[in-house]
Amino acid sequence: MSILRKNIATALMITMGAAVAHAETKPDAKDIVIVHGALVDGSGWRAVYDILTKDGFHVTIVQEPLTSLAEDVDATRRVVLVGHSYGGSVITEAGADPKVSALVYVAALQPDKGEASGQVMSKFAAPNDAMRVATNRATPEKKYFYIPPAKFRETYAADVPEPQAQFMADSEQQLAQKAMGAPLSVAAWHNKPSYAILTTQDRVIAPELQRWMYQRSGAKVTEVPASHAVFVSQPAAVAQVIEAAAKQAN
């Protein structure tokens, strides 16, 4: 089992245990698992997390190593999966478990069965030229995508305050090229209700690509005038869509 699969399975098992523990005090609570996207980690979701937990949801945030695509997941009952950016590919496959009730795509990739994340990205070029590929001397065959810190804010987080955007740039996680090249074995959006936040000022995943993917899947779309970092710049709008998905999944 890959590290990513172990991390997701562990987070979901923790979610299930917490849901049982809180059953008497929060009988209507939904379990929400958030899968962050490429180049960042789960810490940027704190504001969304605070809103959702205040409103009675149990939230688990998966910390991905961004080194491989999840192949399967031990999903828990009545879980809403939320994916941002590359995380959309992860939830598209992980969401196939019959216990997952809904999928939420936040400026996220939404491949079909047999498609790889990079393949979908190539359909509409992102409105930037900042993405670079890095290699390691010890393992030159392994390649990783990243955005140079000097270009991070304008590319990824133009609507985020400069100090916070600088922190995101300085804590950037590189994304393995092989993760973007792995085709999905299943696409859960074919038979699971899906919701999508389309970021109209996105310079990482082109708004045109988002619109094309979400129309193809029949997702319920909410357009937000935001950058790729919408979960940081507009957490209330993101939380509202997640809560709508959770309520519809009852």
Side-chain angles (χ1 to χ4, degrees):
M1 180 179 287
S2 70
I3 296 174
L4 175 55
R5 289 166 59 194
K6 287 180 180 178
N7 284 359
I8 293 177
T10 299
L12 288 168
M13 286 188 286
I14 291 172
T15 298
M16 181 170 61
V20 172
H22 292 292
E24 294 184 3
T25 57
K26 296 182 179 179
D28 298 324
K30 280 283 189 177
D31 299 320
I32 295 171
V33 175
I34 295 174
V35 181
H36 66 78
L39 310 180
V40 296
D41 65 9
S43 63
W45 285 84
R46 179 58 189 267
V48 175
Y49 169 91
D50 287 344
I51 294 170
L52 294 173
T53 53
K54 180 182 177 183
D55 290 345
F57 293 88
H58 176 257
V59 182
T60 301
I61 299 177
V62 178
Q63 290 284 55
E64 305 168 78
L66 299 179
T67 55
S68 64
L69 179 67
E71 297 174 351
D72 60 76
V73 62
D74 181 15
T76 103
R77 188 180 310 175
R78 299 173 67 228
V79 167
V80 173
L81 294 183
V82 181
H84 172 251
S85 192
Y86 161 76
S89 296
V90 177
I91 70 168
T92 295
E93 189 159 289
D97 189 285
K99 298 170 190 175
V100 173
S101 57
L103 307 168
V104 180
Y105 294 85
V106 181
L109 293 173
Q110 195 183 46
D112 202 349
K113 178 181 177 180
E115 292 179 342
S117 301
Q119 179 184 351
V120 175
M121 284 282 287
S122 68
K123 291 184 180 294
F124 294 86
N128 74 79
D129 61 352
M131 199 70 71
R132 298 290 183 268
V133 178
T135 57
N136 187 302
R137 286 185 180 179
T139 55
E141 73 281 1
K142 295 182 179 180
K143 295 178 171 37
Y144 299 86
F145 294 107
Y146 75 102
I147 297 174
K151 292 189 175 183
F152 190 91
R153 188 187 184 203
E154 66 180 273
T155 302
Y156 198 104
D159 53 355
V160 173
E162 186 171 358
Q164 191 170 6
Q166 186 62 52
F167 174 81
M168 294 171 69
D170 291 339
S171 60
E172 179 178 359
Q173 293 195 95
Q174 295 183 348
L175 172 65
Q177 190 177 57
K178 72 174 184 178
M180 291 294 285
L184 272 65
S185 62
V186 64
W189 51 260
H190 280 289
N191 51 26
K192 297 290 174 72
S194 60
Y195 298 74
I197 293 176
L198 192 163
T199 40
T200 61
Q201 298 172 10
D202 204 311
R203 294 177 59 82
V204 176
I205 299 181
E208 294 81 6
L209 174 58
Q210 294 183 48
R211 185 168 288 107
W212 178 82
M213 291 185 297
Y214 304 152
Q215 287 179 346
R216 178 176 70 167
S217 69
K220 184 175 181 180
V221 178
T222 299
E223 294 195 14
V224 179
S227 73
H228 198 57
V230 61
F231 59 98
V232 177
S233 63
Q234 298 198 43
V238 173
Q240 185 175 28
V241 173
I242 295 172
E243 292 194 7
K247 292 173 183 176
Q248 288 296 317
N250 272 325

